[in-house]
Amino acid sequence: MIDYRSDNTGRAAPEILDAMVRANSGTALGYGADEWTASLQERFSDLFETKVRVFPVATGTAANALALAASSPSWGLVYCSEAAHINTSEANAAGFFGGGLKLVPVGGNHGRIDPDAFARTLASVMSGQLHRGQPAAVNLTQASDLGTVYPLDDIRAIADAAKRRGLKIHMDGARFANALARLRCSPAEISWRAGVDILSFGATKNGGALCDAIVVFAPELADGLAVQLRRAGQVWSKMRFASAQLMAYVENELWLRLAAASNAAAARIAAGLAGLPGLRLVAPVEVNELFLELPASAMDALERDGFQFYRRSATLARFVCRFDTSEAEADALTAALRRHCTAQMGPGSARAAE
Amino acid sequence: MIDYRSDNTGRAAPEILDAMVRANSGTALGYGADEWTASLQERFSDLFETKVRVFPVATGTAANALALAASSPSWGLVYCSEAAHINTSEANAAGFFGGGLKLVPVGGNHGRIDPDAFARTLASVMSGQLHRGQPAAVNLTQASDLGTVYPLDDIRAIADAAKRRGLKIHMDGARFANALARLRCSPAEISWRAGVDILSFGATKNGGALCDAIVVFAPELADGLAVQLRRAGQVWSKMRFASAQLMAYVENELWLRLAAASNAAAARIAAGLAGLPGLRLVAPVEVNELFLELPASAMDALERDGFQFYRRSATLARFVCRFDTSEAEADALTAALRRHCTAQMGPGSARAAE
Amino acid sequence: MIDYRSDNTGRAAPEILDAMVRANSGTALGYGADEWTASLQERFSDLFETKVRVFPVATGTAANALALAASSPSWGLVYCSEAAHINTSEANAAGFFGGGLKLVPVGGNHGRIDPDAFARTLASVMSGQLHRGQPAAVNLTQASDLGTVYPLDDIRAIADAAKRRGLKIHMDGARFANALARLRCSPAEISWRAGVDILSFGATKNGGALCDAIVVFAPELADGLAVQLRRAGQVWSKMRFASAQLMAYVENELWLRLAAASNAAAARIAAGLAGLPGLRLVAPVEVNELFLELPASAMDALERDGFQFYRRSATLARFVCRFDTSEAEADALTAALRRHCTAQMGPGSARAAE
Amino acid sequence: MIDYRSDNTGRAAPEILDAMVRANSGTALGYGADEWTASLQERFSDLFETKVRVFPVATGTAANALALAASSPSWGLVYCSEAAHINTSEANAAGFFGGGLKLVPVGGNHGRIDPDAFARTLASVMSGQLHRGQPAAVNLTQASDLGTVYPLDDIRAIADAAKRRGLKIHMDGARFANALARLRCSPAEISWRAGVDILSFGATKNGGALCDAIVVFAPELADGLAVQLRRAGQVWSKMRFASAQLMAYVENELWLRLAAASNAAAARIAAGLAGLPGLRLVAPVEVNELFLELPASAMDALERDGFQFYRRSATLARFVCRFDTSEAEADALTAALRRHCTAQMGPGSARAAE
């Protein structure tokens, strides 16, 4: 079996579990008052080239929902892509933690918000229209849920429009490292320097084990968030074991190496599919995910070959690469796709596909 | 320094981190659809001698608040001890996750609810008194926040009174293993056989690392809870690493051995203080905690000696033993207490204390 | 000035205020334990030909949000039309009172849910997909927010599909009387007999003053709702003044006469516009509202003439008739629209429009 | 029957219903954008000698809960008297609208918070103690739920201590007029000049019909509150009928005359009971309520005589006077109490009571 189901089906990077084991000596104050968590604040402030507050949390859903709850009053509107994880896959956690805040999808392609569509949406909301709720925040998924990234200019354009209306900018960085690796820019550039106020900093999908984090750039959001986290049951008493994971994750650029590896595997597969008839990439492959339209019979054949992946619909399949997806596994998928898709086209098509 | 601050300042049992490392091979479906989590269901069903549903969660606060939210409508009243952790130390997480449910303290001694006081409280609430909210659940801390345990008969009496009015019974078992070790009965006896519907199953304070669990005995509570947990950001995508910890925790009775060790350390200290003037145990030492009234100057002296502990007030100190608190550390505390408290009494008193 | 802005800009029917004055004698128990509220239960049970529970509330927003909160767990999905009042105009009150429930728009024309689209939507949701939340209820606006009504068959089809999946059916009847007057059927037929579990019973838009009501057909929803209403600050201590309004509203078919009058005014206007070039009805005129596409310059001209109405966009205007909109006022609007719209078309078009 | 059950069992002052009838002409914009509501802002600003925002609401529960929700983050602690209405009688509406905020009772006598006890409570909370929640607001009931009033100095002392810690001060003025009439000071003096930020302005218990109000002194609280009210279903579309009631309520000092009348009736009864053996006032009679300890047999006898009142316990009865409680009714109660209580004492006691 070759597993392309998700980046969360994979192993943790051994360095991360090693760090937990190393942290297991002596006693340490609970609830984040330990040395590991103090070091984490410094390490991430270096990493982001500005003073940040970092809060380890158990999951990306917790990171997103609590970051948004900190960014919006309970009657706020939070703009997001139709395909955004907070809108499709988190059981309305943002609405729950946000005390009834409402998600409002905005148009755009490949899982992203279009800056112009966002500006038009904001312009259509009069201030004081109590019956609609009030614009409060915008959520950007970087990388997006369709495996694309926001170019820097788009982040800036959306953030500028948002800030002119007093909105906060939240970035869902469940695949932040993958986006960084793709864009080859610094963590600061695609976050606070582009206008981001608060970041869900994902580790789990990229070799982490049991924690992600919230990174706060806008200092006024941090103190309230700290109480909310405590109340949300997201503050481990033995926090050192979470902070140690996150320290190991960024140590020696581990996170960027892991992300570069999964991105490269996806790119290798995409390259191998170029020009292949019978399938279609529904979004450019910019990080570690491929969304392919292909015949149901080809999906059946892939499964018979031992490939695991998710069927999003009768004709849409998602393949996700992990940091430990090997070149051989990538090539095996490419070969199988070529085999099954060209088979669909008949002998003539097969030749045409060469 | 000798640390008596809390059982959550301590190390994890090495077996638990080892289990995480062992779980780090191959791929596994996310969000609890993995083999480790499936085994966990079976293992805990064996342990409790009935079919249970087990949900790993990040913290005891999450376990308590979400268990209560599953047990009460949002307008419910949840009875608890004045000293209960949910009432004093969880930032009203139960009120938050419960959509506005209200905690109602009930009298009792040493951190426990008194069964008769509870019965009287229930009797004073008329059904249909909308303006007060409606009784919905009762919370028992086993062991209690003052280091005592509920005898079996008290659990049964409270649960019986509660069930006659349709209330659910929640047990906060942050120190469940310590209570078990004390009472020398089976997990089933002090939980569902005594009437408990849902249990916060603590591991962190007793050698765990990053997870506790909710154990559901009343099957009608489980499906709603499952969605709530997802929405609460308490469902890890790499759940295997949590389930593996919990499996290791109960493997070969590890949990009971750890709890017996911390209980024994506390008992050793308590025995060493018997008859000592100048201090007073405010509650019997039944598990791994000692609550001592002693002069502020004695506390100062203890700190100078390198002992770490919490001052609950000017004259009340809490000392908590961990599974790795050694006999030498216990004896050092006893000796220091004898030294400083008898010193308080003057030479004459010192002699009297011999 | 002739006011077509809304049916809530209008007067109350004098009978309704008279009833309040008549109720102002003697003392009466508070919070609904009075004779007027008891009579209201009986009167509405007669009206709906089944035993119902009726809860007066201050506003339609309260009626909708609390009815939905009673119909859905906090993690539920509530299906509605994109144009539904709960989705566009109530500041996400349903999400707030529902503890984070999520509204999910379903396609359809003229402000309604299409039964087939609804069935497809339900079919696409797997049970147990925790990350999306769980289908819980469907909201039907009768009449719809675009001034159309659901035919009986559509209500039944949607309710049948909903009930097969265990969903509750909520009807937003802010203009329930207008729909009844249009469909010429009994209150029972378009509510519980067609599958409706709980009804927001509007009075304010149809000659009421300060209250609407929730009518509960599904008895299991009523007791919880009663506590929620108390907690929501929707239970007047001097409830008799609200119940008296609602009694007067349905006495001698007042409500149906009022609704018939406003429907007739709208129909008269619509008839006068038939065949007029330069404007377009965006939805059939089935109750008391007209949605017209017409040139901005025509809107300007209407305003100069003293007509008041809402501009929904640069080319879309809404005109709402009230129970006291006179034939002369209706004809004045028709004449003005003919004048200004044909003026737009030039002399030749003007003749063509005759 | 003579009704002493509550001040909300009574009639409305006819002036208030008359004002509704007078407001029933012409059309007016909905949701508070009408002339009556605009005048209300001015009238109340005059009344309070400062610019205020006034929001009519349906009930006192709504006023209290939404005022507190505006004054506290969702993790806040709100201090109140043990006997406060928000703590005993509103089904935890404050906890619900406040998103999980927690009420914390503070000691004091006769239904009031003691300023020193409050200062000590605040002093015991360290800033940054996340596990407890954070102090956010204090609630003062003026008049209190035991029929007493806060002297000006106490309000100032509590408000000063609160403001030093950044807390907001909320006054529950369900019987604000009664307190004013008692203290013979201006509305400004016992509200914002003494430090109150936001006031639940009661009318219903003092001759009102279907509305109370929130009066906002601290301008930063108003805009958020406006959205919350809309979302809470507390903004009537035909708001003019509520605003007209409130205007009539304060016109020509009607409210103060009504309150003076009910206060006088209670004072007359209290005076008549002076020195009577066999009963005891559990709190001074400072407004329109009497709380009497008397034998159960005396309560039985009173009921046989046709008096209606609430039994708070086997030996505690509450009697509430209304604006239209006549001197004859007051004297009838006094006489009956003298009769039944001295009867309890035997012939000798009866003489002693003369």
Side-chain angles (χ1 to χ4, degrees):
Chain A
M1 306 293 270
I2 301 182
D3 190 340
Y4 284 101
R5 289 175 296 186
S6 181
D7 30 17
N8 62 35
T9 63
R11 293 182 302 129
E15 293 89 336
I16 287 172
L17 299 185
D18 286 352
M20 286 184 70
V21 173
R22 281 200 313 276
N24 195 27
S25 91
T27 65
L29 266 181
Y31 301 104
D34 61 86
E35 290 168 37
W36 290 263
T37 308
S39 299
L40 180 70
Q41 309 303 311
E42 289 180 26
R43 183 71 189 86
F44 270 55
S45 293
D46 285 350
L47 198 65
F48 282 97
E49 305 170 51
T50 189
K51 176 140 183 67
V52 299
R53 297 271 295 274
V54 193
F55 299 96
V57 293
T59 66
T61 294
N64 286 336
L66 285 153
L68 287 168
S71 301
S72 169
S74 67
W75 57 82
L77 304 177
V78 173
Y79 298 98
C80 62
S81 161
E82 180 74 47
H85 207 256
I86 58 168
N87 192 40
T88 64
S89 306
E90 298 182 355
N92 201 22
F96 173 69
F97 281 109
L101 66 77
K102 190 174 180 187
L103 303 179
V104 180
V106 177
N109 69 6
H110 302 145
R112 291 170 300 208
I113 290 175
D114 176 66
D116 291 336
F118 177 61
R120 283 192 305 272
T121 296
L122 272 189
S124 74
V125 180
M126 308 303 164
S127 92
Q129 283 192 340
L130 305 187
H131 62 290
R132 284 201 188 171
Q134 289 292 305
V138 59
N139 162 271
L140 303 174
T141 43
Q142 181 74 315
S144 83
D145 291 272
L146 287 179
T148 60
V149 297
Y150 280 91
L152 263 179
D153 284 350
D154 281 18
I155 302 175
R156 283 194 206 106
I158 292 168
D160 285 353
K163 285 193 187 304
R164 276 193 296 273
R165 288 288 291 267
L167 280 70
K168 297 290 181 196
I169 293 90
H170 168 246
M171 181 168 277
D172 175 356
R175 293 186 180 93
F176 187 68
N178 298 82
L180 267 186
R182 166 76 185 194
L183 289 166
R184 297 176 191 282
C185 58
S186 74
E189 278 177 284
I190 58 164
S191 59
W192 65 276
R193 283 213 182 102
V196 174
D197 293 301
I198 189 165
L199 168 70
S200 294
F201 181 90
T204 306
K205 290 182 193 295
N206 186 38
L210 287 181
C211 70
D212 296 302
I214 300 175
V215 178
V216 183
F217 305 110
E220 71 275 16
L221 301 183
D223 287 340
L225 176 59
V227 190
Q228 287 271 45
L229 285 162
R230 181 71 185 84
R231 192 169 64 160
Q234 291 287 343
V235 180
W236 284 287
S237 58
K238 292 183 175 169
M239 184 67 88
R240 56 169 142 172
F241 293 117
S243 297
Q245 287 181 56
L246 290 166
M247 295 282 281
Y249 179 64
V250 299
E251 189 69 18
N252 295 322
E253 306 212 317
L254 172 63
W255 62 319
L256 298 177
R257 283 183 282 124
L258 298 172
S262 59
N263 283 4
R268 185 179 183 94
I269 296 166
L273 302 179
L276 190 66
L279 57 73
R280 190 177 74 84
L281 284 166
V282 302
V285 177
E286 298 182 348
V287 289
N288 65 325
E289 297 186 285
L290 300 99
F291 291 82
L292 283 175
E293 269 188 7
L294 74 175
S297 59
M299 293 197 223
D300 296 343
L302 285 169
E303 288 180 346
R304 283 193 301 269
D305 289 349
F307 292 98
Q308 298 173 300
F309 55 94
Y310 280 124
R311 297 183 183 220
R312 285 290 180 92
S313 77
T315 58
L316 180 62
R318 187 187 75 162
F319 300 85
V320 188
C321 297
R322 299 182 315 280
F323 73 87
D324 56 359
T325 298
S326 66
E327 294 195 353
E329 288 173 321
D331 293 343
L333 178 59
T334 309
L337 281 166
R338 297 188 74 85
R339 197 158 61 237
H340 299 307
C341 291
T342 49
Q344 295 291 323
M345 311 298 288
S349 313
R351 273 195 296 277
E354 302 290 315
Chain B
M1 305 291 271
I2 300 182
D3 189 341
Y4 283 101
R5 289 176 296 187
S6 181
D7 30 17
N8 62 34
T9 64
R11 294 182 302 128
E15 293 87 338
I16 287 172
L17 299 186
D18 287 352
M20 286 183 70
V21 173
R22 282 200 312 275
N24 195 28
S25 91
T27 65
L29 265 182
Y31 301 104
D34 61 85
E35 291 169 35
W36 290 263
T37 308
S39 300
L40 180 70
Q41 309 304 311
E42 289 179 27
R43 183 71 189 84
F44 271 56
S45 293
D46 286 349
L47 198 65
F48 283 97
E49 304 169 51
T50 188
K51 176 140 183 66
V52 300
R53 297 271 295 273
V54 193
F55 298 96
V57 292
T59 65
T61 294
N64 286 336
L66 284 153
L68 287 169
S71 302
S72 169
S74 66
W75 57 83
L77 303 178
V78 174
Y79 298 98
C80 61
S81 160
E82 181 75 47
H85 208 256
I86 58 167
N87 192 39
T88 64
S89 306
E90 299 183 355
N92 202 22
F96 172 69
F97 281 110
L101 66 77
K102 191 174 180 186
L103 304 179
V104 181
V106 177
N109 69 5
H110 301 146
R112 291 171 298 208
I113 290 174
D114 175 66
D116 292 335
F118 177 62
R120 283 193 305 272
T121 297
L122 272 189
S124 74
V125 181
M126 310 301 164
S127 93
Q129 283 192 340
L130 305 187
H131 62 291
R132 284 202 188 171
Q134 290 293 306
V138 59
N139 162 272
L140 303 175
T141 43
Q142 181 74 314
S144 84
D145 291 273
L146 288 180
T148 60
V149 297
Y150 281 91
L152 263 178
D153 285 350
D154 281 19
I155 303 175
R156 283 193 206 106
I158 292 169
D160 285 353
K163 286 192 186 303
R164 277 194 295 274
R165 287 288 289 266
L167 279 70
K168 297 290 181 194
I169 294 91
H170 168 245
M171 180 167 279
D172 174 358
R175 293 186 181 92
F176 187 69
N178 298 83
L180 268 186
R182 167 76 187 194
L183 290 166
R184 296 177 193 280
C185 57
S186 73
E189 277 177 284
I190 59 164
S191 58
W192 65 275
R193 283 213 181 101
V196 174
D197 293 301
I198 189 165
L199 169 69
S200 295
F201 181 90
T204 305
K205 290 181 194 296
N206 186 38
L210 286 181
C211 69
D212 295 302
I214 301 174
V215 178
V216 183
F217 305 111
E220 71 274 15
L221 301 183
D223 286 339
L225 177 59
V227 191
Q228 288 270 47
L229 285 162
R230 181 72 186 84
R231 192 169 66 157
Q234 292 286 344
V235 181
W236 283 287
S237 57
K238 292 184 175 170
M239 184 68 89
R240 56 168 141 170
F241 292 116
S243 297
Q245 288 180 57
L246 291 166
M247 294 283 282
Y249 179 64
V250 299
E251 189 68 19
N252 296 322
E253 306 211 319
L254 173 63
W255 61 319
L256 299 176
R257 282 182 283 125
L258 298 172
S262 59
N263 284 4
R268 185 178 182 94
I269 297 165
L273 303 178
L276 191 66
L279 58 73
R280 190 177 74 86
L281 283 167
V282 303
V285 177
E286 297 181 348
V287 288
N288 65 324
E289 296 186 285
L290 300 100
F291 291 82
L292 283 175
E293 268 188 10
L294 74 174
S297 58
M299 294 198 223
D300 296 342
L302 285 169
E303 288 180 345
R304 282 192 303 270
D305 288 349
F307 292 97
Q308 298 174 299
F309 56 93
Y310 279 123
R311 297 181 183 223
R312 285 289 180 94
S313 76
T315 59
L316 180 62
R318 186 186 74 162
F319 301 84
V320 188
C321 298
R322 299 183 314 279
F323 73 88
D324 56 359
T325 298
S326 67
E327 295 195 353
E329 288 173 322
D331 293 343
L333 178 59
T334 309
L337 281 165
R338 298 189 74 85
R339 196 159 61 238
H340 300 307
C341 291
T342 49
Q344 295 293 321
M345 313 298 289
S349 314
R351 272 194 298 277
E354 302 293 315
Chain C
M1 306 293 270
I2 300 182
D3 189 340
Y4 283 101
R5 289 175 296 188
S6 180
D7 31 16
N8 62 34
T9 64
R11 294 181 301 129
E15 293 88 336
I16 286 172
L17 298 186
D18 287 351
M20 286 184 68
V21 172
R22 281 200 313 277
N24 194 27
S25 91
T27 65
L29 265 181
Y31 301 104
D34 61 85
E35 291 169 36
W36 290 264
T37 308
S39 299
L40 180 70
Q41 309 303 313
E42 290 181 25
R43 182 73 189 83
F44 271 56
S45 293
D46 286 350
L47 199 66
F48 283 97
E49 305 170 51
T50 189
K51 175 138 184 69
V52 299
R53 297 271 294 274
V54 194
F55 299 96
V57 293
T59 66
T61 295
N64 286 337
L66 285 152
L68 287 169
S71 302
S72 169
S74 67
W75 57 82
L77 303 178
V78 174
Y79 298 98
C80 62
S81 161
E82 180 75 46
H85 208 256
I86 59 168
N87 192 39
T88 65
S89 306
E90 299 183 355
N92 202 21
F96 173 69
F97 281 109
L101 66 77
K102 190 174 181 188
L103 303 179
V104 181
V106 177
N109 69 6
H110 302 144
R112 291 171 299 210
I113 290 175
D114 176 67
D116 291 335
F118 177 62
R120 284 192 304 271
T121 298
L122 272 189
S124 74
V125 180
M126 310 301 163
S127 93
Q129 283 193 340
L130 305 186
H131 61 291
R132 285 200 186 173
Q134 289 293 306
V138 59
N139 161 272
L140 302 175
T141 44
Q142 181 73 316
S144 84
D145 290 271
L146 287 180
T148 59
V149 296
Y150 280 92
L152 264 178
D153 284 351
D154 281 19
I155 302 174
R156 282 193 207 106
I158 292 168
D160 285 353
K163 283 192 189 305
R164 277 193 295 273
R165 287 287 290 265
L167 280 71
K168 297 290 181 193
I169 293 92
H170 168 245
M171 180 167 278
D172 175 357
R175 294 187 180 92
F176 186 69
N178 298 83
L180 268 186
R182 166 77 186 194
L183 289 166
R184 297 176 192 282
C185 58
S186 73
E189 277 177 285
I190 60 164
S191 59
W192 64 275
R193 282 211 182 103
V196 174
D197 293 300
I198 189 166
L199 169 69
S200 295
F201 181 90
T204 304
K205 290 181 193 294
N206 185 38
L210 286 181
C211 69
D212 296 302
I214 301 174
V215 178
V216 183
F217 305 111
E220 71 275 16
L221 301 183
D223 287 340
L225 177 59
V227 191
Q228 287 271 45
L229 285 163
R230 181 74 186 82
R231 192 169 65 158
Q234 292 287 343
V235 181
W236 283 288
S237 58
K238 293 183 174 170
M239 184 68 89
R240 56 167 142 172
F241 292 117
S243 296
Q245 288 180 56
L246 291 166
M247 294 282 281
Y249 178 65
V250 299
E251 189 70 20
N252 296 322
E253 305 209 321
L254 173 63
W255 62 318
L256 298 176
R257 283 182 283 125
L258 298 172
S262 59
N263 283 4
R268 185 177 182 95
I269 296 165
L273 302 179
L276 191 66
L279 57 73
R280 190 177 74 86
L281 284 166
V282 302
V285 177
E286 297 181 349
V287 288
N288 64 325
E289 296 187 286
L290 300 99
F291 290 82
L292 283 175
E293 267 189 8
L294 74 175
S297 59
M299 293 197 221
D300 296 341
L302 285 169
E303 288 180 345
R304 281 192 304 269
D305 289 348
F307 292 99
Q308 297 173 302
F309 57 93
Y310 279 123
R311 297 181 182 222
R312 285 290 181 92
S313 77
T315 58
L316 180 63
R318 186 187 76 161
F319 300 85
V320 187
C321 297
R322 300 181 314 279
F323 73 89
D324 56 359
T325 299
S326 66
E327 293 194 353
E329 288 174 323
D331 293 343
L333 178 59
T334 310
L337 282 166
R338 297 188 75 84
R339 199 158 61 237
H340 300 306
C341 290
T342 50
Q344 295 291 322
M345 311 298 291
S349 315
R351 272 195 299 276
E354 303 289 317
Chain D
M1 306 292 270
I2 300 183
D3 189 341
Y4 283 100
R5 289 175 296 186
S6 181
D7 31 16
N8 62 34
T9 63
R11 294 182 301 128
E15 294 87 335
I16 286 172
L17 298 186
D18 287 352
M20 285 185 70
V21 173
R22 281 200 314 278
N24 194 27
S25 92
T27 64
L29 266 182
Y31 302 103
D34 60 86
E35 290 170 34
W36 289 262
T37 308
S39 298
L40 180 69
Q41 308 304 311
E42 289 181 25
R43 183 73 190 84
F44 271 56
S45 293
D46 285 350
L47 198 66
F48 282 96
E49 305 171 51
T50 189
K51 175 139 185 67
V52 299
R53 297 271 296 273
V54 194
F55 299 96
V57 293
T59 66
T61 295
N64 286 338
L66 285 153
L68 287 168
S71 302
S72 169
S74 67
W75 57 82
L77 304 177
V78 174
Y79 298 98
C80 61
S81 161
E82 181 74 48
H85 207 256
I86 59 168
N87 192 39
T88 65
S89 307
E90 299 183 354
N92 202 22
F96 173 69
F97 280 110
L101 66 77
K102 190 175 181 188
L103 303 179
V104 180
V106 178
N109 69 7
H110 301 144
R112 291 171 300 209
I113 291 175
D114 176 67
D116 292 336
F118 177 62
R120 284 192 304 272
T121 297
L122 273 189
S124 74
V125 181
M126 309 302 165
S127 92
Q129 283 191 340
L130 305 187
H131 62 289
R132 285 200 186 172
Q134 288 294 304
V138 59
N139 162 272
L140 303 174
T141 44
Q142 180 74 316
S144 84
D145 291 272
L146 288 179
T148 60
V149 296
Y150 280 91
L152 264 179
D153 284 351
D154 281 18
I155 302 175
R156 284 193 205 105
I158 291 168
D160 285 353
K163 284 192 187 305
R164 276 194 295 274
R165 287 288 289 266
L167 280 70
K168 297 290 181 194
I169 293 92
H170 168 244
M171 181 167 277
D172 175 357
R175 294 186 180 92
F176 186 69
N178 298 83
L180 268 186
R182 166 77 186 194
L183 289 165
R184 297 177 193 280
C185 59
S186 72
E189 278 177 285
I190 59 164
S191 58
W192 65 275
R193 282 211 182 103
V196 174
D197 293 302
I198 189 165
L199 169 69
S200 295
F201 181 90
T204 304
K205 289 181 194 294
N206 185 38
L210 285 181
C211 69
D212 295 302
I214 301 174
V215 178
V216 183
F217 305 111
E220 71 275 15
L221 302 183
D223 287 340
L225 177 59
V227 190
Q228 288 270 47
L229 285 163
R230 181 72 186 83
R231 192 169 66 159
Q234 292 286 343
V235 180
W236 284 288
S237 58
K238 293 183 174 169
M239 184 67 88
R240 55 168 144 171
F241 293 116
S243 296
Q245 288 181 55
L246 291 165
M247 293 284 281
Y249 178 66
V250 299
E251 189 69 18
N252 296 322
E253 306 209 321
L254 173 63
W255 63 319
L256 298 177
R257 283 182 283 125
L258 298 172
S262 58
N263 284 4
R268 186 179 182 95
I269 297 165
L273 302 179
L276 190 67
L279 57 72
R280 189 177 75 86
L281 284 165
V282 302
V285 178
E286 297 181 348
V287 288
N288 65 326
E289 297 186 285
L290 300 99
F291 291 83
L292 283 174
E293 267 188 9
L294 74 176
S297 59
M299 293 198 222
D300 297 341
L302 285 170
E303 288 180 344
R304 283 193 302 270
D305 289 349
F307 291 98
Q308 296 173 300
F309 56 93
Y310 280 122
R311 298 181 183 222
R312 285 290 180 92
S313 77
T315 58
L316 180 62
R318 186 187 75 161
F319 300 85
V320 188
C321 298
R322 298 182 315 280
F323 72 88
D324 56 0
T325 299
S326 66
E327 294 193 353
E329 288 174 322
D331 293 344
L333 178 59
T334 310
L337 282 166
R338 297 187 75 85
R339 197 159 61 238
H340 300 307
C341 292
T342 49
Q344 296 290 324
M345 312 297 290
S349 314
R351 273 194 298 278
E354 302 291 314

